Amino acid sequence: MTTFDTPVPTATAAASGASATDRFRADKSPYDAVRDTPRERVDLLAREVLTAVHETVRRHKVTYDEYNALKAWLIGVGEDGEWPLFLDAWVEHAVEDVATSHRSGNRGSIEGPYYVPNSPDLGADGEMPMRPDEQGTPLVWNGTITSTDGTPLNGKVELWHADADGFYSQFAPGLPQWNLRGSFTTGPDGAFRIRTIRPAPYQIPTDGSCGKLIAAAGWHAWRPAHLHVKVSAPGHELLTAQLYFPGDPHNDDDIATAVKPELVLAPVPQPDGSEAVVYDFVLDPVR
Ligand code: DHB
Ligand code: FE
């Protein structure tokens, strides 16, 4: 099995978790979009989730000690600011699956906790903001954005990813604000060309409450190396996706269950040591 260098653990769960919670709260209230939800639906969803919990308690004869440990753990997840991490790692993939099941273009993958809007605009052909000595294999990515009928789209690819140590700017300390975050706008031909570096596999923070669960359950904390994108164009559904690299040992064993075969890239090594890759996006028109 391939092994990877373990990232230097300078980013603490408390820092990443609290940043993810602050970032989530900074956007407009998530409640706005559900103001008109009928009380019948709230009742149905809340009741079914609680019933599933009761059934688990009865089936496995959960004890008071276990119940109190759960209570303490849930309190800790909030105190650590880790609810975005927890939900995006263990719940979001099912929501994404339901949300995009009707699409005939790309379906996508989870957003995760580390998206930041309004990253620098780099035109149709540009290099991601990075440090002069940014580590990682250079990656040159050519692609297009088209509609499901093949029409090229004036669109936008927002790209964000971890560095070669597995850290995201604005969530781990010491990185320039927009490091490895950029927006690429396509012209009438729908084409873009992006220069960046290959990110490292990413370990979700292990020193907070999510890490406690991972350790207690004997799980691992790894996500395979991945690029995050949001692809948009007027009159089309927003595509949120992640792209992966072949051969990563966690492609089949992702803690966030967010890998799909069609999202694995096919990079081709180049004589200069970089890698070239082609990956295109097809967006569904808004219904
Ligand atoms: C988490 C982190 C990610 O980078 C990601 O893509 C998905 C989930 C997390 O920490 O939960
Ligand atoms: Fe990620």
Side-chain angles (χ1 to χ4, degrees), residues 52-86:
V53 173
H54 306 153
E55 282 171 358
T56 302
V57 168
R58 291 181 202 288
R59 192 174 333 123
H60 301 289
K61 303 199 182 345
V62 171
T63 66
Y64 258 104
D65 287 343
E66 289 169 332
Y67 171 69
N68 285 327
L70 171 66
K71 222 192 242 183
W73 182 78
L74 290 169
I75 292 167
V77 175
E79 284 174 349
D80 294 347
E82 286 199 344
W83 280 118
L85 267 60
F86 174 82

Side-chain angles (χ1 to χ4, degrees), residues 10-19 80-82 85 114 204-211:
T10 53
T12 63
S16 296
S19 310
D80 294 347
E82 286 199 344
L85 267 60
Y114 298 142
I204 78 164
T206 52
D207 56 336
S209 292
C210 289

Side-chain angles (χ1 to χ4, degrees), residues 85 89 110 112-114 168 202 204 223 226 228 242:
L85 267 60
I110 67 171
Y114 298 142
Y168 286 89
Y202 166 84
I204 78 164
R223 299 219 56 227
H226 56 280
H228 288 271
Q242 298 186 24

Side-chain angles (χ1 to χ4, degrees), residues 2 38 130 138 177 181 187-188 194 222-223 238 241 249 252 258 267-268 280:
T2 315
M130 63 176 82
Q177 183 180 20
R181 296 177 179 275
I194 297 173
W222 290 99
R223 299 219 56 227
L238 171 68
D252 301 319
V268 180
D280 300 327

